[in-house]
Amino acid sequence: DAGVIQSPRHEVTEMGQEVTLRCKPISGHNSLFWYRQTMMRGLELLIYFNNNVPIDDSGMPEDRFSAKMPNASFSTLKIQPSEPRDSAVYFCASQEGELFFGEGSRLTVL
Amino acid sequence: AQSVTQLDSQVPVFEEAPVELRCNYSSSVSVYLFWYVQYPNQGLQLLLKYLSGSTLVKGINGFEAEFNKSQTSFHLRKPSVHISDTAEYFCAVSRFDSWGKLQFGAGTQVVVTP
């Protein structure tokens, strides 16, 4: 299996632009998680889905952030409009027992 | 709510020497405990986990950890490190009923030198 696949790996954008991060979980995994990693706050859970349904989005920082999982093999995390403080590495992880992390999407908002 | 404290932000160690990374947690409910490793520009990989049973847990790459309930600790050890163990290590906890909702510590950077 290819593991959890995230795209893009790197994104540089300007403040105010829309950003969409994508994730393909491991086939057969029923739960999907979005985490964010920053120097200041470390690793924090943003949102997670179970069987494509959002279960807990209490970690989503504000209304500029939204996440969807239209089917079992795809999820998106969208930031609109983006701000410099959103600069971080965003990880997607899928779960069967343990969590399997993707390699992350490094976002830089100028 | 749970919290995790990793007591060392950076640990320098010589190759073939032992290393211990310290982790303390607090929680009002029973938890699962994890150690993850992150190599540069990569995602996190599970080293080991404690769910129940024996308090000494063995993981991949020669790592082991011991769960101490009375001291609320879950320290990670390796008897002899390699250069390739240079990475950041994260301790994490989760509630029994939500494995994937991990609360991470701040991380410990291990730098192995020859």
Side-chain angles (χ1 to χ4, degrees), chain A residues 35 37 48 56 91 95 97 102, chain B residues 38 41 43 90 99-102:
Chain A
Y35 281 86
Q37 185 177 32
Y48 82 94
D56 184 350
F91 288 103
Q95 182 184 27
Chain B
Q38 184 179 29
N41 299 315
F90 293 92
W99 271 47
K101 285 186 66 175
L102 296 173

Side-chain angles (χ1 to χ4, degrees), chain B residues 53-69:
Chain B
S54 173
T55 57
L56 183 62
V57 180
K58 294 190 184 297
I60 63 171
N61 300 341
F63 284 92
E64 64 181 31
E66 185 153 20
F67 170 59
N68 188 318
K69 189 173 183 179

Side-chain angles (χ1 to χ4, degrees), chain B residues 25-97:
Chain B
Y25 71 95
S26 66
S27 177
S28 56
V29 299
S30 295
V31 294
Y32 293 151
L33 294 153
F34 306 83
W35 275 99
Y36 282 84
V37 61
Q38 184 179 29
Y39 299 103
N41 299 315
Q42 294 189 24
L44 283 78
Q45 180 183 6
L46 181 66
L47 278 178
L48 48 80
K49 61 182 181 284
Y50 174 78
L51 306 181
S52 64
S54 173
T55 57
L56 183 62
V57 180
K58 294 190 184 297
I60 63 171
N61 300 341
F63 284 92
E64 64 181 31
E66 185 153 20
F67 170 59
N68 188 318
K69 189 173 183 179
S70 63
Q71 297 187 3
T72 61
S73 68
F74 191 54
H75 300 335
L76 181 72
R77 302 184 183 95
K78 185 170 182 177
S80 176
V81 296
H82 303 290
I83 297 290
S84 59
D85 292 320
T86 295
E88 188 144 23
Y89 294 79
F90 293 92
C91 182
V93 302
S94 73
R95 289 169 53 111
F96 275 176
D97 57 351

Side-chain angles (χ1 to χ4, degrees), chain A residues 1-65:
Chain A
D1 200 318
V4 176
I5 299 172
Q6 292 186 245
S7 64
R9 290 295 313 278
H10 301 274
E11 172 112 5
V12 180
T13 191
E14 293 189 346
M15 183 174 62
Q17 296 298 305
E18 178 179 295
V19 173
T20 300
L21 308 178
R22 298 172 178 80
C23 175
K24 177 178 169 54
I26 294 172
S27 176
H29 287 192
N30 294 327
S31 298
L32 182 141
F33 300 77
W34 283 99
Y35 281 86
R36 178 171 69 173
Q37 185 177 32
T38 62
M39 290 293 292
M40 292 297 294
R41 300 174 65 89
L43 281 153
E44 50 186 348
L45 176 66
L46 300 178
I47 185 171
Y48 82 94
F49 297 83
N50 194 39
N51 293 322
N52 312 338
V53 176
I55 303 300
D56 184 350
D57 65 355
S58 59
M60 296 286 262
E62 47 197 276
D63 292 346
R64 298 184 297 105
F65 285 69

